[in-house]
Amino acid sequence: MKKFDKDRLILGLAGPVLALVVALALTTVVLLASGRNPFEPYRIMFDSASYVDVQVLIINQAGTYYLAALAVAVGFRMNLFNIGVDGQYRLAAMMAALVGASVSLPGPLHILLIVIVAMLVGAFWAGIAGFLKTTRGVSEVVSTIMLNSIATALVAWLILPKNFGEQPAGSNNLTTGEIAETGWFPGLPMGDGGEIYGFTFVAAGCGLLYWFVLNRTRFGFDLRATGASESAAQASGVDAKKMILTSMLISGAVAGLAGMPTLLGDTHTYSLDFPTGIGFTGITIALLGRNNPLGIAFSALLIAFLDKSSASLDQFGYEKEIATIMQGLIVISVVVSYELVRRYGVRRQQQKVGEELAAGHAIKTEKEAAL
């Protein structure tokens, strides 16, 4: 059995805990500076989250965030920064909605077709960045940022009524048309509190699959090895360029799934009201969760809690943007706290090595003296 490493566990938890504490402290300072009660907003948000309907909203939102964060985490584990998750997610959701609204199939097949289209579109869009990196050495950061802009323009063009979109009578909104009920993913009813999206449970399954592939398969080992040292991986026979392209394709496919909880469980169409910015939130969650599926789950719930519970702040004279400030501070705190923890970990490791060498030297001296 693998020996339990207490120091590793403590250092693993220290980063996110320190980030949350710092973000909470800085938010409190901001509230004090604005002349507000620094603790009342937290009480209001926790009271709001005690209602079942808000809890359902938090869980549903967390499912979407979880998939977006997993997409980012796949890239992170390969030392790739896929900033294009948001564009991949929106383009995939729209194309899946177009296909879903234009066909009529039995329930399971209809849902499966929509999901496959979303994954293929997301993988294709991310694959462009992967192809440019492996063939031309283009930074995935630059290419995915540009692809986000192109995806935004492409979605805006596709959804026009003269192309593939529709404009409901008496509305300024544009949609792709509604998916037939056979393409709706069944959820879990929660009485008067609404319904938990069925795809939220699929998201949880994706987290388990992510853990298994990364930690229990040869592909996962090669992926982590290439991310740690591309040259070392190549020396051991791993095709680094192939791994980079494969990782971007997988990251894009998972990003395509991020729109499915909302599309299949709520809106059943893609419109101008479809959520945006999910991919960027996924970056925050992946960082806070340290690319660990369990850590990402807790982080997704936290960010979803801040999003949904803050809606009640307006009723008590507080701006709901307080939660947005806290999220921004979490991002800054994550970067700083993880670097501090990393430096401490290096010093701690050096100290342990020194102690072990000193202990070994003392034992050797004692043996020599006994002789």
Side-chain angles (χ1 to χ4, degrees):
M1 273 183 76
K2 195 174 182 181
K3 185 179 178 182
F4 177 71
D5 191 340
K6 184 176 71 173
D7 284 352
R8 186 177 178 182
L9 176 62
I10 293 173
L11 290 174
L13 293 174
V17 170
L18 181 60
L20 293 176
V21 170
V22 171
L24 189 64
L26 291 176
T27 304
T28 302
V29 170
V30 171
L31 288 168
L32 283 171
S34 63
R36 302 295 187 87
N37 186 319
F39 304 110
E40 185 69 11
Y42 306 132
R43 185 194 64 78
I44 294 171
M45 286 194 289
F46 277 108
D47 286 348
S48 174
S50 65
Y51 294 98
V52 176
D53 58 338
V54 178
Q55 292 170 2
V56 169
L57 290 174
I58 291 171
I59 292 172
N60 286 337
Q61 188 68 67
T64 298
Y65 284 162
Y66 189 66
L67 288 168
L70 284 180
V72 175
V74 170
F76 279 163
R77 295 306 295 263
M78 256 295 297
N79 204 23
L80 297 171
F81 203 170
N82 182 10
I83 301 182
V85 168
D86 198 66
Q88 295 151 21
Y89 141 82
R90 286 185 289 114
L91 186 60
M94 183 187 181
M95 294 303 297
L98 277 173
V99 172
S102 62
V103 300
S104 179
L105 292 169
L109 291 178
H110 200 170
I111 294 171
L112 183 62
L113 175 64
I114 293 170
V115 171
I116 290 175
V117 169
M119 293 180 69
L120 289 176
V121 172
F124 169 76
W125 207 245
I128 296 174
F131 177 77
L132 291 173
K133 184 174 181 66
T134 54
T135 59
R136 293 292 182 266
V138 179
S139 168
E140 76 281 0
V141 175
V142 175
S143 59
T144 50
I145 288 175
M146 301 310 296
L147 284 166
N148 273 342
S149 299
I150 296 172
T152 299
L154 186 57
V155 167
W157 180 79
L158 288 170
I159 205 170
L160 291 174
K162 65 179 181 179
N163 295 319
F164 300 99
E166 300 177 3
Q167 184 171 7
S171 171
N172 291 325
N173 201 0
L174 299 176
T175 78
T176 56
E178 185 167 333
I179 298 171
E181 194 168 347
T182 52
W184 298 5
F185 201 103
L188 178 64
M190 299 298 290
D192 295 336
E195 183 179 83
I196 296 176
Y197 300 153
F199 216 85
T200 299
F201 300 100
V202 176
C206 289
L208 291 173
L209 183 62
Y210 166 85
W211 174 86
F212 178 80
V213 170
L214 278 181
N215 297 283
R216 293 292 184 269
T217 66
R218 173 60 188 269
F219 171 79
F221 175 80
D222 289 346
L223 186 147
R224 289 183 286 115
T226 308
S229 175
E230 187 174 324
S231 58
Q234 284 180 327
S236 64
V238 178
D239 188 339
K241 288 187 176 181
K242 180 181 178 181
M243 290 303 300
I244 289 171
L245 180 58
T246 303
S247 298
M248 287 300 293
L249 289 171
I250 294 174
S251 179
V254 178
L257 290 178
M260 297 301 98
T262 302
L263 179 65
L264 300 180
D266 182 22
T267 63
H268 311 300
T269 186
Y270 186 96
S271 68
L272 298 179
D273 298 330
F274 208 78
T276 59
I278 300 296
F280 299 108
T281 305
I283 296 173
T284 301
I285 294 169
L287 285 171
L288 185 59
R290 305 204 72 170
N291 303 321
N292 180 285
L294 188 58
I296 291 173
F298 284 117
S299 302
L301 284 169
L302 171 65
I303 300 301
F305 162 78
L306 292 175
D307 278 350
K308 299 305 179 182
S309 64
S310 62
S312 61
L313 289 174
D314 284 342
Q315 303 173 17
F316 296 89
Y318 290 92
E319 296 79 7
K320 62 181 180 181
E321 285 72 22
I322 290 172
T324 306
I325 292 173
M326 185 176 290
Q327 290 181 26
L329 291 173
I330 286 174
V331 176
I332 298 172
S333 302
V334 161
V335 175
V336 175
S337 65
Y338 282 5
E339 179 61 20
L340 291 175
V341 170
R342 186 193 68 81
R343 292 184 181 182
Y344 172 79
V346 171
R347 289 198 302 270
R348 175 62 179 160
Q349 189 65 29
Q350 292 172 342
Q351 181 184 359
K352 287 178 68 176
V353 171
E355 290 172 354
E356 290 173 1
L357 289 174
H361 180 71
I363 293 172
K364 182 180 178 181
T365 304
E366 288 177 3
K367 288 182 178 179
E368 290 175 350
L371 293 174

